[in-house]
């Protein structure tokens, strides 16, 4: 059984499933539900999963990354696919990647400036604080479908430059201790041109692909014209009917699809409460341009 998580139908919860028992029938139910969800699938009550179970489940959707770019202290021993997130300390040292969230929701699709882009991630809750730390999700296929025909026509041929440097400089405004990107990283991750409207390689559905914090510019437009357009699209896509916030409980798991969904973290009181999440990141079939198809 599935139930909707937003009014538009974006986001599904799949019930009565045990991911420790990945038989053919369960695999079919889970994959169908994932692609039907528009990019965010919630499954609760999975406290009993082993790291192998979690890894095998995520591997159904693509190649699971081994997190080479992270501090090995943050990875689960013997399972480099599992990155620990949160305020976990061991022997006075951080044992998980700690990213402090803001009150303002930082909507994004992960690493749109990377080529290939990770196609999705799975977050699994080990320990949740009693309040706060909800993760927000926004459905970009549903948001695209609700645009006026005129606006669809205007934005479909447009492309934007996605840049890690742009994101880093934006983050430096509120985190002045954060250094500028090194020459090495600037070379390794040059800006990449991506369409504003994309086609999902599996479902064939079109989706908005707008992450203003990664977008340096829109090709053929001035900054004065581009920024209001990007903000208009972001405000449209993050309306209540296209979004939901998931308040985590231990054993919950959400699998999302960067090709048709955005997400945003929210803060909690890290001085008073613990939070520990596992994150697994997937590589696979990349977005396609919607313009070439229309
Ligand atoms: Fe993210």
């Amino acid at each position: 059984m599935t139930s909707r998580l937003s009014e538009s139908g974006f986001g599904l919860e799949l019930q009565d499933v045990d991911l420790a028992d990945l038989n053919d029938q369960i695999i079919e139910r889970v994959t169908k539900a994932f692609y039907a969800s528009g990019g965010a699938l919630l499954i609760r009550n999975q406290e009993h999963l082993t790291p192998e179970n979690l890894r095998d489940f995520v591997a159904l959707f693509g190649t699971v990354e081994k997190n080479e770019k992270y501090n090995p202290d943050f990875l689960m021993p013997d399972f480099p696919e599992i990155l620990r997130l949160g305020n976990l300390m061991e022997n006075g040292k951080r044992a998980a990647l700690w990213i402090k969230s803001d009150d303002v929701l930082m909507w994004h699709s992960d690493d749109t400036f990377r080529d290939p882009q990770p196609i999705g991630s799975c977050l699994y809750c080990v320990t949740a604080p009693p309040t706060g730390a909800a993760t927000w999700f926004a459905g970009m296929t549903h948001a695209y479908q609700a645009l006026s025909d005129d606006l669809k026509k205007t934005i479909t041929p447009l492309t934007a430059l996605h840049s890690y440097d742009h994101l880093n400089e934006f983050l430096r405004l509120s985190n002045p201790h954060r250094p500028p990107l090194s020459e090495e990283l600037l070379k390794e991750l040059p800006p990449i041109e991506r369409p504003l409207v994309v086609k999902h390689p599996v479902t064939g559905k079109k989706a908005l692909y707008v992450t203003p914090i990664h977008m340096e510019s829109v090709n053929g437009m001035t900054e004065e014209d581009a920024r209001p357009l990007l903000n208009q699209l972001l405000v449209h896509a993050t309306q209540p009917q296209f979004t939901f916030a998931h308040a985590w409980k231990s054993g919950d798991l959400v699998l999302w699809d960067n090709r048709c969904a955005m997400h945003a973290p929210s803060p909690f009181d890290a001085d008073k409460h613990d939070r520990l999440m596992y994150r697994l990141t997937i590589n696979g079939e990349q977005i396609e341009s919607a313009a070439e198809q229309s």
Side-chain angles (χ1 to χ4, degrees):
M1 221 184 99
T2 54
S3 53
R4 287 173 161 217
L5 298 172
S6 75
E7 193 191 308
S8 65
F10 162 66
L12 288 178
E13 177 178 351
L14 180 63
Q15 286 134 356
D16 305 317
V17 67
D18 178 0
L19 298 179
D21 176 25
L22 282 184
N23 58 46
D24 290 349
Q25 198 196 353
I26 290 179
I27 290 173
E28 196 192 331
R29 278 185 67 205
V30 169
T31 45
K32 255 192 188 163
F34 178 60
Y35 293 116
S37 73
L41 182 68
L42 166 66
I43 303 173
R44 302 181 202 259
N45 305 317
Q46 305 298 314
E47 298 88 335
H48 56 289
L49 294 193
T50 63
E52 285 99 330
N53 292 152
L54 202 50
R55 185 187 58 194
D56 292 349
F57 163 65
V58 176
L60 295 175
F61 299 90
T63 309
V64 189
E65 284 193 358
K66 295 215 168 148
N67 295 308
E68 286 93 349
K69 67 176 178 175
Y70 292 101
N71 180 339
D73 292 348
F74 301 161
L75 308 183
M76 177 172 286
D78 301 323
F79 290 93
E81 297 90 347
I82 299 181
L83 173 68
R84 296 186 288 219
L85 302 177
N87 52 348
L88 178 71
M89 303 285 285
E90 271 170 11
N91 306 319
K93 272 173 61 184
R94 289 215 175 274
L97 178 65
W98 171 237
I99 304 169
K100 199 169 183 299
S101 301
D102 260 326
D103 283 329
V104 181
L105 292 180
M106 300 260 277
W107 287 105
H108 66 284
S109 159
D110 288 327
D111 292 6
T112 61
F113 42 80
R114 244 167 80 183
D115 187 21
Q117 181 196 15
I119 62 161
S121 280
C122 172
L123 261 190
Y124 174 77
C125 179
V126 182
T127 309
T131 55
T135 307
W136 286 79
F137 295 92
M140 304 301 270
T141 300
H142 292 80
Y144 171 78
Q145 286 167 352
L147 290 174
S148 70
D149 287 345
D150 278 353
L151 194 49
K152 282 180 186 165
K153 217 170 154 186
T154 305
I155 63 172
T156 297
L158 296 178
T159 59
L161 276 189
H162 291 244
S163 145
Y164 188 26
D165 191 40
H166 181 78
L167 171 65
N168 195 57
E169 290 304 315
F170 173 76
L171 294 175
R172 271 162 47 77
L173 295 175
S174 47
N175 299 273
H177 58 278
R178 201 181 161 102
L181 289 194
S182 64
E183 285 299 315
E184 207 182 357
L185 265 177
L186 284 169
K187 256 189 213 146
E188 196 184 313
L189 293 166
I192 177 166
E193 186 178 350
R194 295 193 179 277
L196 258 63
V197 180
V198 297
K199 183 171 162 256
H200 194 286
V202 178
T203 65
K205 289 186 176 168
K206 291 182 184 179
L208 266 178
Y209 194 73
V210 174
T211 54
I213 58 171
H214 298 176
M215 292 162 120
E216 193 173 278
S217 58
V218 176
N219 294 321
M221 287 179 88
T222 61
E223 172 72 8
E224 293 73 39
D225 289 339
R227 210 43 68 179
L229 173 66
L230 297 179
N231 288 338
Q232 178 196 349
L233 294 172
L234 182 72
V235 168
H236 167 79
T238 54
Q239 292 178 90
Q241 64 269 36
F242 308 125
T243 58
F244 69 93
H246 181 59
W248 295 94
K249 289 207 171 56
S250 171
D252 290 355
L253 172 158
V254 174
L255 181 73
W256 76 78
D257 190 327
N258 283 323
R259 300 165 295 190
C260 55
M262 287 201 296
H263 57 279
S266 66
F268 72 101
D269 189 342
D271 295 326
K272 285 202 185 127
H273 302 295
D274 293 335
R275 182 180 197 237
L276 178 61
M277 308 289 287
Y278 293 162
R279 192 179 78 191
L280 294 89
T281 301
I282 320 161
N283 279 299
E285 275 188 276
Q286 298 290 293
I287 50 165
E288 294 167 16
S289 167
E292 283 157 17
Q293 312 298 321
S294 55

